[in-house]
Amino acid sequence: MKRNTFIILFFSLVLSITVKAQDTDANIFGDVQSKGEHIPFVNIFVKGTNIGTVTDETGHYLLVNLPTGKQTIVAKMLGYKVVEKEVDLIVGQSIELNFELEKESLAVDEVVVTGTKTFKRKTESAVIVNVIDNKIFDFVQANTISEGLNFQPGLRMETDCQTCNYTQLRMNGLGGAYSQILINSRPIFSPLTGLYGLEQIPTEMVERIEVVRGGASALYGSSAIGGTVNVITRFPTKNAYEFSMNNATVGGDANDNHINGNVTLLTTRRNAGVTIFTSRRDRQAYDHNGDGYSEIPEVQNNSFGMNSYFKLSPNQKLEANLASLHEYRRGGNKNDGVAHLSDQSEERTHDILMGGLDYEINFDNNRTSLSAFLAGQNTKRNHYTGIIPDDPDEYQNHLENPPYGNTKNNTFMGGVQVNHTIYDFIQGTNIITGGIEYNYDDVFDEITAYDYLIDQTTKNVGVYLQSDWAINSKLTLLSGLRADDHNFVDRLIVSPRVSLLFKSNQENQFRLSWSTGFRAPQAFDSDLHIAFSGGGIQQIQLADNLEEERSQSVSASWNWDHATENHIWGFTIEGFYTLLKKAFILEELTQVGNNSILEKRNGGNSEVYGATFEARANFNRLMQIEGGLTIQKSMFDEAVNWSADIPGTKDYLRTPETYGYFTVSYTPGIPFAASLSGIYTGEMLVPHFGLPDDPGTPEFDILKTSDPFLETNLKFSYDFDLKQVDSKLQLFAGVSNLFDAYQDDFDTGKFRDSNYIYGPAKPRTFFFGLKVFN
């Protein structure tokens, strides 16, 4: 009862914030363009007042109930020269006012939404938000979002199974389950989807990815301890199309083919639009060490989706998005036959449907907005994980009852959010954001042959309130908290956050943040994966008395960018520290024959701390250079006994202390372009489970210190102008992992430890293809 009262009072406070506007019905509408291209998110405001707006995704804007008389309207956006126009506003009249902007310097100030749940420019956000856009995907020839996420500081994609190649995203040294993955700002990326989802989503459907490192539970609830990754799908901004196809040869042996396409259509008045995208992938299995068992599985993937908007009125908008993903994945040996007759095999068939609806209305002279949203996903999975037994009786039992499994997963969330701007708030402007949301996730996963069952239903009601106070042009204070009522936690969880931004001048931004977070005691990502180890299978179970994990995080950063007429260069330095209380750990519980069970239980505390360094430069739009390096340490305060055979360790496993990336692109203009990129992964501790008397595995469990890797990629492209059809044809080719920096000590045979895998996701791979677009 107390929880419900708290939630009602909390949300009522948010909804009670209103300010009466003066109605003059003097309005201005129009668009902003540069060389025929509409520009979204340009600041449009009345000079000398606090009245303003930004252009929408299509480059259009509307200002209503403006002060009458002579007024100066300003269009301003970093990277373009400021334009001012004088108008005479009359009561009851609307004026069309269009702007043409001229580029001044290179833009470094994208509009982002993930850090505050409101649209803000990066330099005005009190938390650092990094952006991965289509240019980066193109430079590094990333076909799935998992291939592009490495190219941000503090991020590292990791492949964790030699047979099925499931992946996880590590942020600032924390495992994948500590990162909250959003689709169009909604947390519908379920724990099950986290196993393979980042490799299943093609870059063709992605507009950009926004990354916030550090605790974000104050906005996004459970699991946002390490950070938040917001995958924003392509949004219709102009009539356009793109079709591409490429072929890659993995390790000189296996083919990997992609066919992608998208088309965007807008109505004449630009009050509705849709982007439709499709993708098909067909990859052969790859065996690196010649033992007949794959290190990279066979994959067949078909994806289809759309993103659309409808302007119901000048101040109302409805957005709808939908995506359907089908994937067949199989690793092991004898892939041509049925899975249970293979000596060792993992087979997965996923059918995923996800989508969402967002409704937004602006009123009170654009000072207040109300949004309501629904989103969800449904996953059906048929799977097999098994090894042919050597014992005749066990073999017969295997044929009669093979370990096939069935998974059903439904995720749903809905909520309401209110944003209200208060001008002259003590001093400066304050944007108050409040909302309530409900999250539901149900996963049923069963393999009767292994007596394996996960039947988990999680429910969470979250209420949040945030103050984004721009005290003056140099100082911004962001504060907020969120209260979560989770059905796996026996009390209300309150997560506060405070961030401070100080801009000494236009070039320098200093940030200081403190945040808290939690992870509910439930199964996540890798907990739903069954591995091969020690001649049998290895699975994870939750301890009966598992409690929630709590965190506190502190970060400080300095961001500097210097822009001239033709060049930009800059850097970001950030230090971070996270303390986990009652940290989740995995320890070997028991051994049943060759099968082992790891138990997920609460340990003591653990600490993750370090620093990220990022540098960037762009020289006259001819050459762009970016690079990032993370140096960190991750440790438990008590040793974790991951194996019953050898002493435990306080160090995090599979977590390098040094890792980073670089990209260099040369774009002298149409028609030629070239790019060089790389990913560095330092030494790390990798557990290796052994099997006595098996020639393909160690005799006993060992803790391996891996070698460092530098994965280098190269790409060239050339554009042909197809003037007859107002289009362009691009031919491209290149090589990924140029120097073949790939793991060379995989286990062999059917009793291999499938989790003994580290380093780059693929060996040297040559690719070529074409793209037609307008």
Side-chain angles (χ1 to χ4, degrees):
M1 183 63 183
K2 290 182 179 179
R3 293 182 181 181
N4 293 337
T5 302
F6 175 83
I7 291 172
I8 292 171
L9 291 175
F10 198 65
F11 195 52
S12 297
L13 175 64
V14 176
L15 292 177
S16 66
I17 302 172
T18 58
V19 175
K20 179 67 177 174
Q22 180 182 4
D23 295 329
T24 64
D25 201 26
N27 309 319
I28 295 178
F29 64 93
D31 65 13
V32 181
Q33 298 186 45
S34 178
K35 295 183 178 181
E37 296 286 338
H38 284 88
I39 311 174
F41 309 126
V42 178
N43 288 306
I44 308 293
F45 58 92
V46 181
K47 189 174 183 178
T49 74
N50 289 322
I51 301 172
T53 186
V54 295
T55 57
D56 63 15
E57 295 87 348
T58 67
H60 292 72
Y61 75 95
L62 173 67
L63 290 169
V64 299
N65 294 321
L66 299 175
T68 55
K70 292 188 180 297
Q71 303 290 343
T72 300
I73 311 302
V74 182
K76 183 178 181 180
M77 184 175 185
L78 189 68
Y80 295 85
K81 294 181 179 180
V82 176
V83 176
E84 297 184 359
K85 291 189 177 183
E86 190 172 278
V87 295
D88 192 1
L89 298 175
I90 302 173
V91 173
Q93 290 189 8
S94 296
I95 298 174
E96 180 176 0
L97 188 66
N98 300 320
F99 290 88
E100 176 73 22
L101 299 188
E102 180 183 347
K103 285 189 176 181
E104 182 178 45
S105 62
L106 300 171
V108 294
D109 200 18
E110 299 107 322
V111 174
V112 294
V113 66
T114 309
T116 60
K117 282 197 173 182
T118 58
F119 286 103
K120 297 206 70 170
R121 295 200 174 277
K122 286 174 61 177
T123 57
E124 298 173 358
S125 175
V127 293
I128 292 180
V129 181
N130 291 96
V131 178
I132 307 172
D133 58 17
N134 286 322
K135 289 183 179 179
I136 296 179
F137 291 144
D138 188 57
F139 288 160
V140 302
Q141 192 55 31
N143 293 295
T144 66
I145 61 176
S146 66
E147 296 174 343
L149 285 171
N150 280 309
F151 295 92
Q152 281 295 309
L155 270 61
R156 189 175 70 85
M157 283 301 304
E158 177 179 280
T159 302
D160 283 335
C161 180
Q162 186 183 0
T163 307
C164 73
N165 276 197
Y166 87 86
T167 59
Q168 62 173 309
L169 173 66
R170 291 182 176 269
M171 300 183 69
N172 283 358
L174 293 168
Y178 291 90
S179 304
Q180 178 73 275
I181 309 296
L182 309 174
I183 304 295
N184 292 318
S185 302
R186 309 301 173 212
I188 60 172
F189 216 73
S190 72
L192 175 65
T193 314
L195 278 174
Y196 305 100
L198 293 176
E199 192 180 9
Q200 291 171 335
I201 298 178
T203 54
E204 189 67 25
M205 67 181 282
V206 178
E207 181 75 24
R208 69 184 188 277
I209 299 175
E210 297 181 3
V211 178
V212 178
R213 300 190 305 275
S217 288
L219 279 183
Y220 297 104
S222 177
S223 305
I225 290 177
T228 304
V229 173
N230 190 5
V231 180
I232 299 173
T233 57
R234 286 182 182 263
F235 195 86
T237 57
K238 63 178 182 179
N239 291 311
Y241 79 93
E242 181 180 300
F243 170 81
S244 66
M245 57 189 304
N246 68 82
N247 180 79
T249 303
V250 181
D253 183 58
N255 289 322
D256 188 3
N257 300 303
H258 293 260
I259 299 177
N260 306 303
N262 68 76
V263 61
T264 297
L265 301 172
L266 299 177
T267 61
T268 304
R269 292 189 297 163
R270 295 180 175 265
N271 56 1
V274 62
T275 294
I276 300 171
F277 46 82
T278 184
S279 178
R280 181 183 184 276
R281 183 183 193 182
D282 188 356
R283 183 181 69 190
Q284 296 175 332
Y286 171 72
D287 175 15
H288 184 69
N289 55 14
D291 67 341
Y293 296 81
S294 64
E295 274 66 56
I296 297 177
E298 169 190 357
V299 167
Q300 297 169 11
N301 183 297
N302 287 284
S303 307
F304 172 83
M306 53 80 70
N307 199 356
S308 62
Y309 77 92
F310 307 88
K311 284 193 173 181
L312 307 178
S313 69
N315 66 330
Q316 296 183 77
K317 182 170 66 172
L318 177 68
E319 295 182 7
N321 62 82
L322 181 70
S324 174
L325 309 175
H326 169 83
E327 184 189 80
Y328 175 79
R329 175 183 295 252
R330 182 168 174 182
N333 76 335
K334 301 179 181 178
N335 283 358
D336 294 335
V338 294
H340 71 274
L341 294 182
S342 300
D343 296 298
Q344 184 220 59
S345 180
E346 287 191 55
E347 183 183 55
R348 312 278 186 261
T349 301
H350 287 84
D351 284 290
I352 303 172
L353 185 66
M354 63 175 65
L357 283 171
D358 285 73
Y359 168 78
E360 182 176 355
I361 180 171
N362 295 283
F363 50 93
D364 192 18
N365 200 18
N366 285 330
R367 290 184 175 90
T368 305
S369 67
L370 171 68
S371 60
F373 44 86
L374 296 170
Q377 69 87 25
N378 171 263
T379 299
K380 297 178 181 178
R381 180 179 72 159
N382 296 316
H383 57 98
Y384 169 87
T385 304
I387 301 176
I388 289 284
D390 290 335
D391 181 83
D393 293 335
E394 292 180 2
Y395 176 73
Q396 185 60 35
N397 181 64
H398 173 87
L399 296 180
E400 295 173 358
N401 185 27
Y404 285 96
N406 178 58
T407 309
K408 295 180 181 179
N409 179 218
N410 293 290
T411 305
F412 167 81
M413 70 87 58
V416 178
Q417 178 174 307
V418 175
N419 301 317
H420 179 71
T421 303
I422 304 175
Y423 298 108
D424 300 321
F425 179 82
I426 306 176
Q427 178 180 341
T429 301
N430 197 345
I431 301 175
I432 304 295
T433 299
I436 182 170
E437 61 184 37
Y438 173 74
N439 298 81
Y440 171 91
D441 183 76
D442 178 73
V443 58
F444 179 89
D445 189 20
E446 183 177 30
I447 305 176
T448 56
Y450 293 148
D451 194 25
Y452 169 83
L453 174 65
I454 289 183
D455 189 0
Q456 175 180 276
T457 301
T458 60
K459 304 173 185 178
N460 187 81
V461 177
V463 182
Y464 54 90
L465 181 65
Q466 175 183 267
S467 165
D468 191 358
W469 182 16
I471 300 172
N472 52 46
S473 60
K474 293 187 175 183
L475 193 62
T476 298
L477 177 64
L478 177 71
S479 59
L481 59 85
R482 173 173 170 134
D484 284 281
D485 184 8
H486 197 288
N487 66 317
F488 281 14
V489 182
D490 59 6
R491 63 186 180 278
L492 198 70
I493 299 290
V494 178
S495 304
R497 175 176 76 165
V498 179
S499 298
L500 185 68
L501 166 65
F502 175 66
K503 297 190 290 185
S504 60
N505 52 41
Q506 190 174 1
E507 295 181 340
N508 290 280
Q509 300 130 47
F510 300 90
R511 293 176 174 88
L512 181 65
S513 295
W514 169 80
S515 61
T516 64
F518 79 102
R519 273 212 305 162
Q522 66 184 82
F524 292 96
D525 302 349
S526 58
D527 302 335
L528 302 172
H529 177 259
I530 294 178
F532 298 115
S533 171
I537 63 166
Q538 184 184 82
Q539 56 183 292
I540 297 171
Q541 72 177 33
L542 307 185
D544 293 335
N545 59 347
L546 189 65
E547 299 180 29
E548 77 275 6
E549 185 180 31
R550 299 299 302 269
S551 73
Q552 293 199 43
S553 300
V554 178
S555 67
S557 66
W558 174 24
N559 187 93
W560 179 82
D561 285 291
H562 178 73
T564 65
E565 184 73 19
N566 297 311
H567 310 300
I568 285 181
W569 56 90
F571 63 83
T572 301
I573 302 174
E574 180 183 29
F576 60 87
Y577 173 84
T578 298
L579 172 66
L580 300 176
K581 298 181 179 180
K582 296 183 179 180
F584 294 160
I585 62 174
L586 288 177
E587 292 190 326
E588 191 167 31
L589 179 65
T590 185
Q591 189 91 16
V592 181
N594 287 331
N595 299 334
S596 66
I597 296 177
L598 300 178
E599 185 177 67
K600 184 177 182 177
R601 58 180 67 153
N602 292 109
N605 297 338
S606 72
E607 296 178 306
V608 179
Y609 54 90
T612 62
F613 306 88
E614 181 183 4
R616 52 198 167 268
N618 194 308
F619 303 101
N620 201 26
R621 297 185 178 87
L622 295 178
M623 178 175 289
Q624 179 169 311
I625 302 173
E626 293 185 16
L629 179 68
T630 300
I631 301 174
Q632 55 138 88
K633 186 70 175 179
S634 306
M635 293 189 68
F636 296 98
D637 62 359
E638 299 175 359
V640 176
N641 298 310
W642 61 273
S643 167
D645 297 338
I646 62 175
T649 178
K650 293 184 179 181
D651 292 307
Y652 276 32
L653 302 181
R654 309 181 67 86
T655 305
E657 296 184 359
T658 307
Y659 52 96
Y661 75 96
F662 72 88
T663 62
V664 179
S665 59
Y666 177 63
T667 52
I670 295 174
F672 175 76
S675 62
L676 176 70
S677 61
I679 302 168
Y680 173 75
T681 304
E683 295 180 352
M684 57 182 164
L685 296 176
V686 183
H688 195 179
F689 290 90
L691 178 64
D693 301 323
D694 180 68
T697 61
E699 281 291 303
F700 306 101
D701 297 349
I702 60 175
L703 194 56
K704 160 85 173 186
T705 299
S706 68
D707 295 327
F709 287 89
L710 178 61
E711 179 183 357
T712 307
N713 314 301
L714 188 63
K715 180 182 178 180
F716 301 96
S717 65
Y718 194 93
D719 290 357
F720 297 89
D721 199 359
L722 307 179
K723 296 182 179 179
Q724 300 88 339
V725 290
D726 296 323
S727 300
K728 292 181 174 61
L729 168 66
Q730 181 184 99
L731 301 180
F732 60 86
V735 56
S736 302
N737 201 350
L738 175 63
F739 300 108
D740 205 21
Y742 193 60
Q743 182 179 347
D744 60 2
D745 64 340
F746 288 109
D747 283 356
T748 60
K750 69 178 181 180
F751 294 132
R752 64 187 184 176
D753 176 6
S754 64
N755 279 355
Y756 181 62
I757 182 172
Y758 55 89
K762 58 187 177 183
R764 183 188 294 119
T765 299
F766 293 95
F767 62 86
F768 65 92
L770 62 86
K771 179 168 63 175
V772 182
F773 60 99
N774 68 342

